[in-house]
Amino acid sequence: MPFPHTRLRRLRMSPALRALTAETVLTTDDLIYPLFVQHGTGLKDEISTMPGNYRFSLDRLVEEVKEAQDLGIKAVLLFGIPKQKDEVGSEAYDDDGIIQRAVRAVKDSVPDIIVITDVCLCEYTSHGHCGIVVDGEIKNDPTLDLLAQMAASHARAGADMVAPSDMMDGRVAAIREALDDEGFRNTPIMSYAAKYASAFYGPFREAVDSAPSFGDRRSHQMQPPNAREALLETALDIEEGADIVMVKPALAYLDIIRRVRERFDVPVCAYSVSGEFSLITAAAERGWIDRDAVMMESLLSIKRAGADMIITYFAPDAVRILTGT
Ligand code: PBG
């Protein structure tokens, strides 16, 4: 019955009523904290495009991860900055590479936190592309073997989960096979299933110096107009063995998160990327928006759209708000 019988405002009249009727709840357990690691010692260099985020050397990374665990954060996602980049991204699959060392260091000192590693060549190649480049073309099939080697070497170092972000066709199957061959049958794959060729990655590429030296990523990452294709990508990744599927970016792709959630029953992760972080941070620095409020509303919206978990550079700050610490 309509007004005046029905008054939807009745259930909004107090904080307790609003809490009781909240349909979506964001918790500390939902958040994954991305971190950047570089060679050296005693280093904590702020990333100019992402204030409050740093390139950590191993020792400082371990401190940061400890703090994250003390806050209650359950998982971190690691990105590496190699000593030297080359045509084939050698350090990516070197057992003594930056990520492999970082995983060992973190698992040694903070064994309970889930360590997820990004699997992609673009941080390690001199041309900044996600695969082997021959005659100006990013080659799919020869890249698969390198990605599989990279994932296996992360697992050997102790990674709890690997997250391929390259968008080569067939990489989830190649990685699953490599992991299983080495006995890592219980190492899950979180695939960047619907990853768009997005301008929102700008600040990240500054952080790891991975902007392509020529061309762009549009021959492998998805084009923003497409939504049905995201479902195809996701279906294939699940068939190939993805345990968790990811949509990336998050805020401009909430419809994709929703559609993936409705279609598939595996856990869905959303990556709220660097550009999303930087937009909010920059506007807040100017005093134009309330940083904490916009941050929490954005994360909640991503959860409401259907994400089970969210990768966000805001993780520690969000947890401080959630837990009142
Ligand atoms: C690729 C990768 C990228 C991001 C995560 N993994 C960059 C890209 O595809 O160019 C972007 C993350 C962000 O913007 O926060 N290794």
Side-chain angles (χ1 to χ4, degrees):
M1 274 220 266
F3 178 85
H5 264 338
T6 301
R7 290 178 184 271
L8 292 182
R9 290 187 59 198
R10 277 184 204 121
L11 295 180
R12 297 175 195 155
M13 287 297 165
S14 72
L17 271 172
R18 291 194 291 271
L20 198 64
T21 56
E23 297 174 27
T24 308
V25 184
L26 181 74
T27 78
T28 300
D29 294 348
D30 304 327
L31 304 177
I32 300 171
Y33 182 26
L35 289 163
F36 301 96
V37 56
Q38 61 173 332
H39 288 280
T41 42
L43 302 175
K44 183 177 174 182
D45 302 330
E46 190 164 44
I47 298 160
S48 62
T49 49
M50 303 169 69
N53 288 270
Y54 304 86
R55 299 184 196 89
F56 296 98
S57 55
L58 295 184
D59 51 331
R60 306 298 295 270
L61 175 77
V62 169
E63 289 170 17
E64 182 73 10
V65 176
K66 269 192 195 136
E67 260 176 59
Q69 185 177 50
D70 289 345
L71 279 171
I73 290 174
K74 305 288 186 301
V76 293
L77 170 63
L78 300 184
F79 293 97
I81 298 140
K83 204 171 279 161
Q84 208 139 32
K85 304 188 187 225
D86 63 27
E87 286 281 305
V88 291
S90 303
E91 198 178 317
Y93 34 89
D94 178 344
D95 281 336
D96 213 22
I98 185 65
I99 280 293
Q100 291 81 352
R101 289 184 192 205
V103 172
R104 285 194 291 267
V106 170
K107 292 307 294 185
D108 267 354
S109 326
V110 203
D112 294 335
I113 205 153
I114 299 166
V115 175
I116 311 170
T117 54
D118 185 81
V119 175
C120 184
L121 295 181
C122 66
E123 290 131 67
Y124 301 89
T125 51
S126 43
H127 42 69
H129 282 296
C130 309
I132 298 294
V133 175
V134 180
D135 298 332
E137 187 188 320
I138 303 160
K139 294 287 182 192
N140 194 87
D141 299 12
T143 300
L144 298 183
D145 181 46
L146 299 184
L147 293 167
Q149 285 183 40
M150 185 178 181
S153 118
H154 291 178
R156 285 196 294 273
D160 298 297
M161 193 183 299
V162 294
S165 66
D166 52 284
M167 289 297 277
M168 296 297 121
D169 287 319
R171 89 274 207 219
V172 174
I175 289 171
R176 185 71 269 156
E177 195 185 325
L179 291 174
D180 288 356
D181 276 354
E182 294 201 25
F184 297 110
R185 287 185 195 83
N186 286 327
T187 304
I189 299 175
M190 175 160 78
S191 77
Y192 289 65
K195 176 174 178 179
Y196 285 85
S198 169
F200 282 93
Y201 309 148
F204 173 96
R205 290 180 190 167
E206 168 76 28
V208 299
D209 186 25
S210 71
S213 59
F214 65 90
D216 53 43
R217 307 220 197 289
R218 284 183 288 187
S219 80
H220 51 295
Q221 298 180 349
M222 286 186 52
Q223 53 169 331
N226 289 8
R228 292 192 306 265
E229 191 189 1
L231 302 179
L232 268 177
E233 280 283 4
T234 306
L236 287 171
D237 279 12
I238 293 171
E239 249 173 67
E240 289 181 26
D243 301 280
I244 300 173
V245 292
M246 193 200 297
V247 175
K248 178 185 173 189
L251 281 181
Y253 296 83
L254 294 176
D255 57 322
I256 308 298
I257 296 172
R258 164 57 50 184
R259 289 176 73 163
V260 168
R261 164 75 298 142
E262 281 175 352
R263 177 80 66 94
F264 304 102
D265 292 324
V266 300
V268 176
C269 178
Y271 196 147
S272 184
V273 300
S274 56
E276 299 173 42
F277 171 87
S278 299
L279 280 180
I280 293 172
T281 304
E285 272 180 6
R286 293 194 165 199
W288 290 350
I289 58 169
D290 175 336
R291 179 182 191 267
D292 289 356
V294 172
M295 162 179 90
M296 296 311 280
E297 187 178 334
S298 305
L299 293 171
L300 186 75
S301 306
I302 296 166
K303 184 96 192 275
R304 193 190 60 237
D308 298 298
M309 59 195 95
I310 305 169
I311 300 169
T312 172
Y313 301 96
F314 286 123
D317 289 343
V319 169
R320 282 187 197 100
I321 291 176
L322 287 169
T323 57
T325 46

